């Protein structure tokens, strides 16, 4: 993760509240998009296996591979989030971000 990857409240929603956004480097975005494109292809492949009445165990193996690939994307995002957004917000005195992070980690671990 490069130093350019930071979180900022730069936009306002319809109610005038700041909306946090990530600003990932182009390299990070490309990496994430590439991984997600592969996951998307895996999902289409799984759909095709089901349409072809492929043996269940083979389909389940492909589902596990797709889940693993998607988890990998989540881990990369989480790492970047912790190294930039979380650190920045703690330094800014926003310690409630730790509770927000714990909720997010619990969701990822389901």
């Amino acid at each position: 993760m490069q130093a350019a990857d930071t979180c900022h409240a730069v936009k306002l929603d319809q109610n005038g509240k700041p909306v946090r956004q990530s600003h990932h480097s182009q390299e990070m975005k490309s990496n994430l998009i590439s991984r997600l494109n592969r996951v998307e292809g895996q999902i289409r492949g799984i759909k095709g296996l089901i349409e072809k009445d492929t043996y269940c165990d083979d389909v389940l193996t492909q589902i596990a591979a797709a889940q693993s690939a998607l988890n990998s994307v989540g881990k990369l995002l989480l790492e970047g989030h912790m190294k930039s957004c979380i650190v920045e917000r703690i330094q800014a005195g926003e310690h409630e971000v730790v509770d927000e992070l714990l909720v997010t980690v619990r969701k990822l671990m389901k």
Side-chain angles (χ1 to χ4, degrees), residues 9-103:
V10 294
K11 285 186 176 180
L12 299 178
D13 67 10
Q14 305 144 338
N15 300 318
K17 291 185 178 183
V19 176
R20 290 188 309 261
Q21 290 186 298
S22 288
H23 298 280
H24 300 290
S25 67
Q26 193 56 46
E27 180 182 358
M28 174 63 106
K29 278 186 184 179
S30 294
N31 183 4
L32 293 171
I33 290 169
S34 175
R35 288 169 179 265
L36 288 169
N37 285 339
R38 275 184 259 145
V39 171
E40 186 178 24
Q42 286 177 300
I43 299 301
R44 280 194 303 272
I46 292 166
K47 180 181 173 188
L49 292 175
I50 291 172
E51 290 171 344
K52 295 175 189 172
D53 293 321
T54 303
Y55 183 61
C56 297
D57 191 56
D58 295 336
V59 176
L60 291 167
T61 298
Q62 292 306 311
I63 289 172
Q67 286 174 326
S68 177
L70 194 53
N71 286 341
S72 177
V73 172
K75 288 175 189 175
L76 281 174
L77 277 171
L78 180 61
E79 179 182 346
H81 183 56
M82 291 175 72
K83 287 181 176 180
S84 62
C85 303
I86 300 299
V87 170
E88 285 178 22
R89 290 184 61 199
I90 289 172
Q91 289 172 343
E94 300 178 43
H95 297 283
E96 67 276 5
V97 71
V98 174
D99 292 328
E100 177 186 293
L101 176 62
L102 291 172
V103 169

